[in-house]
Every structure is written in structure tokens, then in C-alpha cells.
Amino acid sequence: MKRINIVIGCFCILAFCVMPAQAFTMKTLTITVAQNGDGQMDMQYDLSLFEQSAVFFRIADPSTELKSAFESQSKGPMTVTKATSSSAGVTIPSFASLTIRNGKTGMQTPAVSFERAQKVLNTYWFAPLISPDFSPATTTMIFPDGYRETWHDQISIPSVTHQLDQN
């Protein structure tokens, strides 16, 4: 019986050694800007088996990590509305700056970057074991009038200035 356990243990160790070093992979990021300038960020991502285990055993908490990553770039407090093993939602008050000129409303969003999150992750003890991808395959920013900006595979997106259509 002990031999069977040793053989199974060796196969498990071998499987972990042969597995590719996968990690957090951001699939999509959608930023919806409200009429008052508040922002709602919705992210879809994949976690490796290792990361899913860390979440399950409460070694890591995605909502806390996301909140700290975004608060460093935010003007005020934010709320994590959802955090699961595959998605998260964050509400950011006053995300976009509003200007009114000649009766027309303009919005300017800040630049958004996940480079800091990448650097923070690289400081953890398990960093050499994983290779995270913080650049969303698709990032979409949606303004209240339906105007959209889209980026592909970018870890940072620029500030966007948009004049709202008054229809």
C-alpha cells in the first residue's frame, strides 16, 4: 500500500514538473464610463491550477489584490463589486474628468496600466514558477453615448478624451 502511495506521489511530482508554467491571463477588460464620470471595470481572466488553489485556501484574495492595484491609480475609494476565480468587477468613482464647453460635455479618462501589478507579482516567492499575462486580449472603453475605443494585447491604455454626442 505504501508503494502505491509513493508511485502516485512521484507521478504527481512529475506532472507538476512537466506542466507548462501558466498563470493569471487577462482575457478581456471592459470599462464603462457613466454620465457622471464614474467607471465600471469588468474583467475576465483565467487562473492557473496553482492560483485557483491559492484562492481556495485563502492564501490570495483577488478582490483585495485588484482593489489595491486600482486604488494606486484612482482619485478616491473604489468598490470591488465582484471577484471570482474567472472574473472581477470594480466601481471607480470619478474615473473620468468632466468638462462643459459651449453646452457640450467632454470626458477625459486616465491612462490605465497593469505594469505595477506585474511588478508587485514579481516580488512574491512563487514568481519564478509562473508567467502571468496582464495585457488583456481585448480592452474596450464605452462612453455614455455609445462611443467605443478598443485595444488589443496592451498592458497599458492611454488617456482618452471624448466629446459626448448630445443626441
Side-chain angles (χ1 to χ4, degrees):
M1 187 68 157
K2 288 183 180 182
R3 282 187 166 176
I4 292 175
N5 289 339
I6 292 172
V7 170
I8 291 172
C10 289
F11 278 122
C12 289
I13 291 170
L14 181 62
F16 281 116
C17 291
V18 178
M19 278 179 29
Q22 296 177 354
F24 176 91
T25 303
M26 183 142 0
K27 296 180 344 187
T28 62
L29 170 63
T30 303
I31 304 169
T32 306
V33 183
Q35 191 75 32
N36 66 356
D38 291 352
Q40 175 66 38
M41 292 183 146
D42 294 301
M43 294 161 272
Q44 301 290 319
Y45 48 81
D46 289 327
L47 296 177
S48 69
L49 181 62
F50 177 76
E51 292 162 331
Q52 288 177 9
S53 299
V55 170
F56 179 77
F57 289 112
R58 302 201 188 282
I59 295 169
D61 180 10
S63 62
T64 302
E65 297 300 327
L66 288 168
K67 187 173 181 178
S68 64
F70 287 122
E71 279 184 340
S72 67
Q73 299 176 32
S74 175
K75 298 173 191 171
M78 51 190 23
T79 306
V80 176
T81 56
K82 175 177 103 171
T84 69
S85 62
S86 63
S87 65
V90 179
T91 300
I92 306 169
S94 302
F95 175 72
S97 301
L98 302 177
T99 57
I100 299 175
R101 289 194 183 110
N102 300 327
K104 296 186 178 188
T105 303
M107 294 186 147
Q108 182 174 11
T109 64
V112 176
S113 177
F114 292 100
E115 289 177 4
R116 182 177 180 273
Q118 177 73 53
K119 289 177 184 174
V120 168
L121 187 64
N122 288 339
T123 65
Y124 288 116
W125 64 269
F126 56 82
L129 304 175
I130 60 175
S131 57
D133 180 6
F134 285 92
S135 53
T138 304
T139 300
T140 305
M141 187 173 300
I142 306 169
F143 288 87
D145 62 355
Y147 176 77
R148 295 171 179 253
E149 289 269 346
T150 303
W151 300 267
H152 298 283
D153 298 313
Q154 299 294 316
I155 196 164
S156 299
I157 60 169
S159 171
V160 175
T161 302
H162 173 65
Q163 185 172 324
L164 296 177
D165 188 11
Q166 301 297 333
N167 290 337

